[in-house]
Amino acid sequence: MAQPHPASANGASGVEQHNGTPAFSPLYQQIKGLLLGSLQAGEWKPGESIPSEMDLAGRYRVSQGTVRKAIDELAAENLVVRRQGKGTFVSTHSEQQSSFRFLRLTPDAGPMKNPAAPQRHIIDCRRARATAEVARALLMKPGDGVLHLRRVLSFSNTPTILEDIWLPGPYFRGLTAERLAADERPMYGMFEAEFNVHMVRAEEKIRAVLPDAEQRRLLNLDGTQMPLLSVERVAFTYNDLPMELRRGLYRTDAHHYSNVLS
Amino acid sequence: MAQPHPASANGASGVEQHNGTPAFSPLYQQIKGLLLGSLQAGEWKPGESIPSEMDLAGRYRVSQGTVRKAIDELAAENLVVRRQGKGTFVSTHSEQQSSFRFLRLTPDAGPMKNPAAPQRHIIDCRRARATAEVARALLMKPGDGVLHLRRVLSFSNTPTILEDIWLPGPYFRGLTAERLAADERPMYGMFEAEFNVHMVRAEEKIRAVLPDAEQRRLLNLDGTQMPLLSVERVAFTYNDLPMELRRGLYRTDAHHYSNVLS
DNA sequence: CAGTGGTCTAGACCACACT
DNA sequence: GTGTGGTCTAGACCACTGC
């Protein structure tokens, strides 16, 4: 990583890969990769600060500006948060108001300054075998052990979301309905602290569906014919490893899924 | 903007506003504001290149790095696209594959390398008076003149999207059903070229709904009871001015609305 | 070849938070 | 005051594009 002279050639410059594309990778990308490795290895835990830019510049034998650009990209991806005068901190789902980082359901009245966290009710929590569909999403083999949760989220005592959640079993040993019910933290915050699983990114596929009888019952929708939003999410950790498949059914008569395009 | 010495104090530094908050604004933010003004004024048209970083640095009496940071932010907001070796270009909706920049509907089979643009069918195009709801969204007064479009988008001959579109009348003089039907460009691309209206950002609110009889008819859904996605969009131009209200009804039996969270 | 954006460095100073 | 991230400059060289 050390450069013999200022602005000297990049170490990888000019190297060709077997497929013929140049292997050029900017220094700051390499630094970013090293930082990602440290995050993934748990060298710095969520909520903690990482070393200062000057420290990292010294460690990697690189100028502060290069470290800065690497951290800029991590911050743009929400993996770290910069706080002027204090330092750079590993992102966490455990803070207040982070219940909604991955939950894009907003009251129709408009977002409040302090949106209330939903009430949670665990309906089911059991070990099971991965179906073909679950296995595909979680990069497992059909029949592998998974943990299946089902819960209902309510806003001001109105059941609004019914969620089925599938987690790869080996990463979540010891997770039970009792522990889930007793825990006050957002689920992803608890995953960080208890199972060292940090969700970093997610993809959602949204459809309109009609609930079946059981789904209507669990959401107190009997006697009505209300269409629901089906939100199918795959959540990923640092290394783009899928660690959760979640299917939510959202009532949208008093809320809406909000999104920004640019 | 000129600095008497390198790294001298920022021009606005230390200034206080009446409300007591410091008026500090980094130089690069001021440059960004000037660039935004030029974009908004049409000094550089969509698709054209803006002056080189060195040129702009000279024009504003600032270092290249400062201009660079300003352009970086514009690029992050998709207002501008950088192309190494060629220049920096004003974003446009008129290019190939940009039909889907604001349309997040994906075939369930998975995105293709060259997604086919949907077939378009104009159902209605008329001048009307803004309802209270439309006026609120477009920052107009109820009763002001608006243009109301209705169209159907089809994928491989299956009507899939029914859209109602409201535009502020004064900005779209001369837009008729005939012109719309004859135009091959994406609608936002045509808006840029013909009406100098460049959509830059949009907010969408998504719900699950049941179509009424007329909506079912227009989407060839008679005889079925299919829930649809209601996608309500407000699109904005450079100065955060809302220039379009659009309500789409999406079939999601063979497509899904896809979104990425981070 | 010249011109563009992209990377990297070194050094200075500013704004902010803690002590 | 000290240490953090944030801004700004000046200059060098690299990678890509097109003449």
Side-chain angles (χ1 to χ4, degrees), chain B residues 28-135:
Chain B
Y28 77 87
Q29 285 286 3
Q30 301 175 38
I31 304 295
K32 182 185 171 188
L34 294 173
L35 295 173
L36 264 172
S38 291
L39 286 170
Q40 182 180 331
E43 186 174 336
W44 313 303
K45 301 275 187 224
E48 294 178 3
S49 70
I50 72 175
S52 75
E53 295 178 351
M54 289 301 279
D55 282 358
L56 291 169
R59 172 189 304 199
Y60 298 130
R61 302 304 204 59
V62 143
S63 83
Q64 189 207 11
T66 300
V67 169
R68 187 168 187 74
K69 180 141 188 177
I71 295 179
D72 277 346
E73 293 212 346
L74 295 176
E77 296 167 24
N78 287 315
L79 298 185
V80 117
V81 175
R82 323 190 71 140
R83 289 187 206 144
Q84 181 172 140
K86 299 176 76 174
T88 302
F89 298 79
V90 183
S91 300
T92 177
H93 293 270
S94 289
E95 293 176 350
Q96 305 298 24
Q97 301 150 351
S98 71
S99 265
F100 291 90
R101 176 168 160 206
F102 280 72
L103 179 53
R104 302 296 256 296
L105 201 66
T106 309
D108 284 342
M112 300 155 282
K113 49 191 179 202
N114 282 330
Q119 302 112 305
R120 298 173 291 184
H121 178 223
I122 305 291
I123 293 182
D124 198 10
C125 173
R126 64 180 66 190
R127 304 274 157 181
R129 301 272 154 214
T131 63
E133 183 199 355
V134 171

Side-chain angles (χ1 to χ4, degrees), chain A residues 22-43:
Chain A
F24 173 68
S25 171
L27 239 194
Y28 77 88
Q29 285 285 4
Q30 302 175 40
I31 304 295
K32 181 185 171 188
L34 294 173
L35 295 174
L36 264 172
S38 291
L39 285 171
Q40 182 180 331
E43 185 174 336

Side-chain angles (χ1 to χ4, degrees), chain A residues 7 13 24 52-53 68 82-85 87-88:
Chain A
S13 192
F24 173 68
S52 76
E53 295 178 352
R68 185 167 189 76
R82 324 189 70 140
R83 290 187 205 145
Q84 180 171 142
T88 301

